[in-house]
Amino acid sequence: AEQTGGTRGLFAGGYRGSPNTSVDTIDFINVDTTSDASDFGNLTAAAVLGSGFASRTRGVISLGAIPSNDQSDTIDFVTISSTGNASDFGNLTIGRRSSGGCSSSTRGLFGGGVNPGGQVRIDYITIAQTGDAVTFGDLTSSRTELGGCASPTRGIFVGGQPANNTIDFVTISTLGDAADFGDLTDARPMYNSACSNAIRGLFGGNKHPASVNTIDFITIATTGNALDFGDLTRTNSELAAVSSPTRGVWGGGHYPAKVDVIDYVQIMSKGNAIDFGNLQVARGRFAGSCSNGHGGLG
């Protein structure tokens, strides 16, 4: 686990209010406490429907959709242990929104997305460097609004549009196409939110077609169908998720309006989520989320 003051989780960008207004806000929490989120800084642009991942030191966010570009290729990064505004990292191989993100300690992957239809492509970057993404391979099918999480060796991409219950996996240190892992307990077509420790991956909330409170889990080193873990504190979609080696945390969302609620669970148990605190501002459809203690880091 991270040894510099605990695991930090970041929630970046998103839509707030009604009508939707995109924001550049980055919130942070200490995953292993309970409390309200604090201000970290700002993205390089207001953004929604991106994806995120991190090493122990650096958080990386693809901006998704920004006011000037509905399928942006911009990638931002921050130093997680500090606070401050994001800097430009580089660009995706193709502009897209609504991709899924996962990483090991060295390599980060962006899978799927919209430009303008569903995409099958997986990109990768080396987190410690800056520069443009490179093609990794393909998902088992083209889709958007999928979630991502990882162990130190495997990356997981889950759910998405068109409505499906698919779970894909890749070996992060190689290149190549994803393989079928198994299925969710039901189809989760929209705004999937995933987190993990090194052993288990958890998938919470979503629309099917209405918002649900379901949390599923898998054992990442195996293959097979997901099992029921428990429930979020409310039916919810458009959430973002972060994790430490012991906790999974979901923040924000939309049901029936934007919410600021943060929930958490103990990853290696099963059961219903507990209230953690609140975001600075209610919002959903985040640009991305990440932590410096997630499952891909070991």
Side-chain angles (χ1 to χ4, degrees), residues 91-160:
N91 300 99
L92 298 169
T93 61
I94 182 173
R96 67 184 90 168
R97 67 179 189 273
S98 303
S99 60
C102 62
S103 77
S104 66
S105 60
T106 56
R107 182 181 272 191
L109 276 57
F110 302 101
V114 174
N115 183 2
Q119 295 292 309
V120 73
R121 183 180 302 182
I122 305 170
D123 288 359
Y124 79 95
I125 60 162
T126 301
I127 299 173
Q129 303 170 358
T130 56
D132 294 341
V134 178
T135 299
F136 179 96
D138 292 332
L139 298 169
T140 59
S141 62
S142 62
R143 56 195 198 272
T144 181
E145 299 175 10
L146 61 168
C149 64
S151 72
T153 55
R154 276 189 175 179
I156 302 291
F157 295 100
V158 58

Side-chain angles (χ1 to χ4, degrees), residues 52-78:
F53 48 72
S55 67
R56 293 211 184 276
T57 56
R58 183 176 274 190
V60 181
I61 305 291
S62 72
L63 296 194
I66 60 177
S68 62
N69 188 343
D70 201 35
Q71 288 100 30
S72 172
D73 63 1
T74 300
I75 308 169
D76 280 4
F77 77 97
V78 296

Side-chain angles (χ1 to χ4, degrees), residues 8 10 26 39-43 77-79 82-87:
R8 269 193 176 180
L10 273 56
I26 307 171
D39 182 57
F40 184 94
N42 302 100
L43 296 169
F77 77 97
V78 296
T79 301
S82 66
T83 55
N85 294 336
S87 300

